[in-house]
Structure formats: C-alpha cells, structure tokens
Amino acid sequence: MSEITAITPQVKDKTRCNIFVDGRFYCGLTLEAAVKNRLKAGQTIDPDRLGEIQLESERSTALDKALHFIAASQKTERQIREYLAGKGYLAAVSDYVLEKMSGYGFLDDRQYAESYAASAVKKKGARLIRAELKEKGVSDEHIRNALDGLEGEAETAAKLLGKYMRGKEADRQTLYKAFRYLIGKGFDYDTAKSALTAFGEVSEDSEPQGEPGDFSD
C-alpha cells in the first residue's frame, strides 16, 4: 500500500488535478473522479486502485487526446505511449487506448516503418533510417522488413554528393570530407564509396580506403 501525499490542481486545466503518491507525482485525474472516489492527502491506497479509477474515468478522454496526437502524422506505439505518459496517464489507460487504436486501424508499426523508410530514403541512408526507427520504438522485424529491398538509396547518395561538391575542388581532402558527409547521412561504406566513384572525380590515388571510422574531417 502507498500513501497519497498531495492532490494539487493542474495549472493548465482547472478541471484536473495531479495525484502525488509517496511524495512523487503519480498520475493526473479529473477533479470529478477524485471527489467521486473520495481521494485525499494522507489516504492509504493501492496504486493499482488509482489505475482502475483513472481507467474508468478517463479512457475516453485519453483516446481522444491520442487520436488528436496522430491527426497530423502517423505515430508508433511507443510514441503514443510516451505521449500519454507525459499527460499523466497510467499504463492501464495507455493499454486501453493502444488496443482501441489498433482495432480502429490507426496504429500499425509495420506500416509506419515502411512509409517512414520510403519517405526518408529521399534524404538519408538506410543506416540512419534504421537508427531513427529504432529510436521510435519500431521492432527489429518491422525495421528489417521496411529496409529490405528499399529503393533509391544510391540515387539519394549521388544527389547529396552532387550538392555537397558543388563549387568545391575535388581534391583528396575534400573527397574525404564528402565521404564522411555521406557516412554521417546514414549511408554505408560501399554506398558512399560507389557514389564517389560514380561522381567521376576519384582516382586510384585519392580513393578513400579503410573503414568509415578511420576518416576525420
């Protein structure tokens, strides 16, 4: 059992309050739900009970917030869960929302990964796309499927290289910097090297050798 140590009104929404348990912020709740369940500072309560109270009183509100959150662009399961947590919703509420959104067809990490990769490859390489999807909480399986057969990476590397080299002399030092630039954009060693070769300015003497990590600006 834990103790409710404080109940304070929220600054941005006077119809809601913050619940503190054992001296730490625990969750947000409507004032109506807090009053209805007779919550007060100093009260001993099972944290699971607070989760039940929040789920009962706020699942519709949480779902509305999540749907509004994805209105501008598709999101991953992790992004929605983190968004709801930032709003003070507990795991039980997030689970409910995610289940509903999946059922409505609004949440699909596999589709998200495929769409994200297809768009991102126009600006960056597969290595960086993989890292970004991983950070967004997409599973390794969905990332692998999204990147398998991804088209346009070589063309993007060549385009970015052309922009980078515009107005520059194609000497050894500049080519090394161009190579590092492509590596920084998420292209692997072979793709970056192929782009430089196709650029038509790399000789046997100036061609970058070794692993990507060996070069510095």
Side-chain angles (χ1 to χ4, degrees), residues 22 48 103 119 140 167 176 179:
D22 295 333
D48 289 341
S119 176
D140 290 338
Y176 272 4
F179 179 83

Side-chain angles (χ1 to χ4, degrees), residues 11 17 23 27 38 56 73 77 125 148 158 171 174 193-194 201-202:
V11 176
C17 61
C27 69
R38 300 180 181 180
E56 179 183 350
S73 63
E77 178 178 329
D148 280 349
D171 55 27
T174 302
K193 183 177 177 181
S194 294
E201 300 291 348
V202 180

Side-chain angles (χ1 to χ4, degrees), residues 1-2 4 19 21 26-27 29 33-34 36-39 43-57 90 92-93:
M1 300 294 285
S2 299
I4 298 177
I19 307 295
V21 174
Y26 190 75
C27 69
L29 201 63
K36 177 182 177 180
N37 289 276
R38 300 180 181 180
L39 301 181
Q43 177 182 350
T44 300
I45 192 170
D46 185 342
D48 289 341
R49 175 55 185 154
L50 280 177
E52 293 172 358
I53 293 172
Q54 190 187 63
L55 177 60
E56 179 183 350
S57 66
L90 298 173
V93 178

Side-chain angles (χ1 to χ4, degrees), residues 173 176-177 180 212-217:
Q173 182 179 12
Y176 272 4
K177 289 184 177 181
R180 294 296 299 171
D214 295 337
F215 303 109
S216 59
D217 292 344

Side-chain angles (χ1 to χ4, degrees), residues 121-124 154-169 174 177-179 181-182 185 187 195-196 199 201:
V121 75
K122 300 174 184 177
K123 300 178 181 178
K124 61 194 74 173
E155 290 80 359
T156 298
K159 182 180 69 174
L160 292 177
L161 176 61
K163 289 183 178 181
Y164 181 88
M165 292 298 296
R166 191 174 299 159
K168 296 183 177 70
E169 183 179 352
T174 302
K177 289 184 177 181
F179 179 83
Y181 169 75
L182 292 178
K185 284 291 186 178
F187 299 98
L196 284 170
F199 187 67
E201 300 291 348

Side-chain angles (χ1 to χ4, degrees), residues 12 17 38 43 45 76 103 114 135 137 142-143 147 163 172 179 181 183-185 187-189 209 213 217:
K12 295 183 179 181
C17 61
R38 300 180 181 180
Q43 177 182 350
I45 192 170
T76 66
E114 293 176 355
E135 185 178 358
H142 289 332
I143 293 174
L147 295 180
K163 289 183 178 181
R172 184 180 180 85
F179 179 83
Y181 169 75
I183 294 298
K185 284 291 186 178
F187 299 98
D188 60 25
Y189 176 86
Q209 301 293 327
D217 292 344

